[in-house]
Each structure stands twice: as structure tokens, then as C-alpha cells.
Amino acid sequence: MDRTAQLTARRADRDIAYDPPPGAGSPHVRAARVLEANWTGTSTVPSRGLYPHQWSWDSAFIAIGLRHVSPLRAQTELETLLDAQWGDGRIPHIVFNPSVPLDAYFPSPDFWRSSTAGRAAGAPRTVQTSGIVQPPVHALAAWLVHRADPGLSRARGFLSRVYPRLAAWHRYLLHRRDLGGAGLASVVHPWEQGMDNSPCWDAPLRRVTPAPTRSFRRADLDHGAAEDRPTDLDYGRYVRLATDYRDGEYADGAGDFAVEDPAFNALLIASEHALARIATELGAPGTARHARAERLTTALIDRMWDPAEEMFLCRDVRAGGLIPERGVTGLIPLLLPTLPRDITTALVRTAQGPHFGLGDSTRLAPSYDLLGEAFDPHRYWRGPAWFNTNWLLERGLRTHGEHKRADALREAALELAVASDFAEYVDPYTGEACGATRFSWTAALTLDLLHDLKEPMDSKGGIRG
């Protein structure tokens, strides 16, 4: 019996195998029960109702939390996702469970047609997936999972099996998705960046003619209030972009939407550092990957840092120029260990200032500018606070020696995660639960924040040890 099962199904007269030993209603046990309830046997769904399949960056965050209760399940989580990788290296943003009815989620497998429309790009024949991607947290997750139980990892050959696939994933992003020509990866759909409905996408989306509302049925509205979800107009644009990408056989570079995003690229850089650590663990030099990460960091600053706004902004590759919207995406590069000190100082100042209010008017950083015209404290990615972005900010603050601020953010995230029953996201002012509850990455990252021994970051963004 692994430690997740021990946490969730122990007899009353036995201590559970966890340190520190929590009570039945403790945050540790409650978070572990969420992951147990959402476990399918090979992976974890984000939530049983709204998201009944496997999502790419969700699984990376879930593995980061699962490593504290079951390193084996954490490894399996990532391995299952990588089993659905395409021949061109892309890791699809959804891996579909064939036992789930088609009408349970849209866009469903029959929309994406991965095995046929994606044949030229090497889509797998035996599993159905979407054709777009999500942020590359996976190598970072794999390294952290390995460090949780190196003996188990080595015995199973975990890193030696995942390393080639992660390297292929990064090659895809650095070559096929370098649509701006500066070495950075572009997203070709708002869903790829993960912050699907952010106002940062409004300007480039205006170029997209929406699909007619009658041409699709939104399953998301079966599980959430319409006022908390993307509008039909925005959803129509999402569907149009996805349809055109599919009909173009998932070839990159032809669509109307191409954006360089700071968080997406910061996570790619962090994962390059992690891949370097993995290479070293496997007996190969990691120097070239660390050097690539440094080149990408320089390109990120050159392309997306706005000194006047004191944050990173998205770059519209098609129209040229920065998008003048402040999203939490522009704070996430704080995660990078070798950012110049003046930039990290400015990012901390922006996070605490009137646009995000962190530690002042808000306890968790909102997903969008509090003073922006499009701000909405409840609507999906247009203002609510999310636990994964705040986990990244907590890690970034700690990386740059901002331990007091990191501790305050950690405390707030833990308190609000438990109080909201591990909500998908919360109102940044009140902490009111929004979206789904018992959400997997919220529970997983709660476990990570609860873990007593925070692994110290080294100068290359890896974990010592």
C-alpha cells in the first residue's frame, strides 16, 4: 500500500506513515483524499466533473505534490502523460480517457481527430489527444519527483526513460514554435498558455472570426455559472483557432494567433535548468542546457521586459509589439534564478503595488490587474487568484531571498486552499471559492507547501542534493 492509500484509508488504531502524523481532518489528509478521489489508476483528473481527462500541466503540478505521499504515483503520473507524446515532440494538453462519454467535455476527441489530422505530426494511433500544448513544467516536475525518492527513481530507471522524451519536447518548442525568430516559444492558442481567458489575449483574438455558437455545445456551463466562464464570443474564437489548427494538420506557423508569453517561456527556462540536472544525474554534462537557459533568459528580457511597467508583458508576434495588459504571467519570471537584481526588485515591487496588491489588498496574487478595465474577481483568469501561479510566485520569492514575503504567501495559500475545499481558484479579495472544488493541483500544491523541508534553490535553479 503506498502512502496515498495509507493517508486516506488507515485504520483508526494505526498511525499513518507520514511525517508529521496528521489527524483525520488535517490539511495533509484532506489534500491526499482529493488526490485519491481523482486518481484513475494511471493518472489524476483535475476534477471529476468539469475536467474528466488528463491535462498536461495539471499533471506536472499534481506530480510535484504527489511526490510527498507516493513517489511511485508521481512518477506514473508523468509517465502516463509522456506515453501520449507525439512524434514531433509535442506533449498534448489533453489525453482523453476513452471510457468518458464524448459529451462530458468539449472539445472532445472527435473534435480534435488527433490520430488522423495529426498523422503528419506523429500523433499516436492508440490514444486520443488534443493537438495543442500547455506550459512546459514537466522537466522541473520530473526532477523534483526524482529527488523525492532517488532510490526508487534509479531502481525504476525513471529519469533515463523520461529524459529523451522531455528533451524532444523542448526541441519541439525551441524549433517548431520559434515563430518570432528570437529563440523563444510562441503559443498558437490561448488554451496553450494555461491562463485561457486572460485579457492579455483580447487584442490578438480580435483578429479571429468566431465559430458560430450553434456549431458547438459548451459542456463547461454544465458545471459552472456562465458569469464565471468565458463568454460565448471568446469561446467561439477559441473553437475557430482550434478548428483551423486541426484542419491544417497541426502544422505550426500559419495561424492568426501567435504570442510569446513570459510565464510559458519562464517555465521552459526553469525546465531547461532541470533537464541539465537530469542529464548530470544520468552521467552526461548539463553545461550546454544551463547555457541555453541563460540565452533564453536574456532573450526573455530583451523581448518582453517593460521597464516602465516594471514587469514582463506578452508579445504579439503577428502584430509586433508588446500587449499593454498586466497579467500574473508577467510576474512568473521571478522564478528564474539568474534574473538581474534590478528586475527582481521591480517585480516584487509590482506584485505588492496597486495592480496586484499582494500582501496588502490581496493575500494571493490575482490573475489580472486589479485596476484593469477587464478585471473581474470571479471570471475565469480575468481576476481570480489561482494556486498554481501563486505556488510559482512563492518559489520565485524564495529563490531571490524574499523569505518573509514567501512565508506570508505560503501561509495565505495554505489557509485559503483548505478553507475553500481546495478550490480551482478564489476571489482575490475575499478568498471565496470559484470554479470546481476538490481540485487536484490545489490539493497537490497544498501538500508541497505543507512539506516541512523546503528544498533550497541553487544558483542554477535546481535543487541541492
Side-chain angles (χ1 to χ4, degrees):
M1 180 182 291
D2 67 27
R3 281 185 281 173
T4 306
Q6 288 175 314
L7 274 170
T8 58
R10 72 181 179 97
R11 286 169 44 192
D13 60 346
R14 290 182 58 188
D15 291 333
I16 54 181
Y18 195 77
D19 183 24
S26 76
H28 300 78
V29 172
R30 289 181 58 191
R33 282 177 175 156
V34 170
L35 297 181
E36 179 72 11
N38 291 340
W39 174 251
T40 68
T42 56
S43 65
T44 310
V45 298
S47 73
R48 285 289 177 182
L50 183 54
Y51 304 106
H53 303 284
Q54 183 179 24
W55 261 258
S56 171
W57 77 324
D58 291 71
S59 279
F61 288 121
I62 289 163
I64 287 168
L66 267 177
R67 69 190 169 121
H68 298 301
V69 292
S70 177
L72 178 59
R73 280 197 188 183
Q75 291 177 28
T76 303
E77 185 81 37
L78 295 173
E79 290 164 347
T80 300
L81 178 67
L82 290 170
D83 282 345
Q85 186 172 26
W86 290 28
D88 64 2
R90 82 181 75 194
I91 297 174
H93 99 295
I94 302 175
V95 181
F96 289 106
N97 181 343
S99 68
V100 173
L102 287 178
D103 62 358
Y105 183 82
F106 179 85
S108 50
D110 57 339
F111 172 88
W112 295 104
R113 305 173 200 162
S114 61
S115 59
T116 53
R119 186 177 297 130
R125 301 276 183 92
T126 58
V127 62
Q128 292 296 312
T129 75
S130 65
I132 60 175
V133 302
Q134 275 190 323
V137 198
H138 311 89
L140 175 61
W143 176 245
L144 294 175
V145 167
H146 165 77
R147 292 301 307 147
D149 192 337
L152 174 68
S153 175
R154 291 169 187 143
R156 297 187 68 247
F158 171 65
L159 290 182
S160 61
R161 284 182 290 110
V162 301
Y163 179 79
R165 296 183 178 193
L166 294 169
W169 167 224
H170 284 210
R171 280 196 301 274
Y172 168 77
L173 293 174
L174 292 167
H175 296 288
R176 302 288 184 93
R177 288 299 189 88
D178 181 15
L179 304 183
L184 299 172
S186 293
V187 296
V188 299
H189 195 291
W191 289 339
E192 292 198 312
Q193 195 271 352
M195 304 177 196
D196 311 1
N197 196 39
S198 170
C200 296
W201 320 133
D202 288 356
L205 278 175
R206 290 190 192 106
R207 296 192 294 267
V208 179
T209 302
T213 304
R214 65 181 180 278
S215 66
F216 56 89
R217 190 190 82 80
R218 294 183 55 180
D220 63 317
L221 297 181
D222 295 340
H223 302 277
E227 58 269 22
D228 291 350
R229 304 293 299 173
T231 65
D232 283 345
L233 177 61
D234 284 333
Y235 216 90
R237 287 174 168 140
Y238 304 154
V239 172
R240 173 69 67 190
L241 280 174
T243 300
D244 290 348
Y245 194 39
R246 178 200 68 199
D247 293 348
E249 298 184 325
Y250 298 110
D252 294 309
D256 292 327
F257 186 98
V259 174
E260 292 173 352
D261 174 77
F264 192 101
N265 281 282
L267 290 168
L268 176 58
I269 294 166
S271 280
E272 270 294 304
H273 281 305
L275 268 187
R277 285 308 186 112
I278 294 171
T280 302
E281 170 69 21
L282 295 174
T287 310
R289 290 200 176 276
H290 282 313
R292 180 181 294 122
E294 293 310 310
R295 290 196 300 273
L296 292 170
T297 301
T298 299
L300 179 72
I301 295 168
D302 289 345
R303 295 280 285 179
M304 284 181 263
W305 176 249
D306 188 321
E309 299 295 341
E310 293 198 316
M311 67 181 303
F312 290 88
L313 300 178
C314 299
R315 177 171 288 275
D316 188 338
V317 173
R318 292 287 176 253
L322 297 175
I323 299 171
E325 296 285 0
R326 300 178 186 88
V328 72
T329 180
L331 302 178
I332 300 302
L334 190 63
L335 181 71
L336 302 178
T338 59
L339 281 184
R341 185 62 187 172
D342 61 323
I343 290 181
T344 64
T345 300
L347 285 172
V348 172
R349 189 161 52 237
T350 299
Q352 294 186 295
H355 295 288
F356 293 92
L358 185 60
D360 182 16
S361 57
T362 66
R363 296 189 66 200
L364 297 182
S367 51
Y368 177 65
D369 182 1
L370 297 170
L371 305 180
E373 289 185 12
F375 174 78
D376 185 326
H378 283 194
R379 194 179 288 277
Y380 204 63
W381 289 109
R382 300 180 85 83
W386 291 70
F387 290 92
N388 65 329
T389 55
N390 279 275
W391 180 87
L392 292 167
L393 289 176
E394 191 268 354
R395 194 173 184 87
L397 289 167
R398 208 169 292 283
T399 296
H400 293 286
E402 297 282 352
H403 296 293
K404 275 192 175 180
R405 293 185 174 96
D407 288 344
L409 182 53
R410 174 180 176 274
E411 180 183 345
L414 288 172
E415 180 183 322
L416 293 174
V418 173
S420 68
D421 194 19
F422 306 102
E424 184 179 1
Y425 51 97
V426 296
D427 183 307
Y429 290 123
T430 68
E432 177 188 349
C434 303
T437 54
R438 302 179 65 77
F439 197 72
S440 289
W441 79 25
T442 304
L445 297 177
T446 295
L447 286 172
D448 192 62
L449 292 172
L450 283 168
H451 194 244
D452 275 352
L453 300 175
K454 297 296 289 187
E455 303 92 333
M457 300 292 289
D458 69 9
S459 63
K460 297 296 187 183
I463 303 301
R464 290 194 188 125

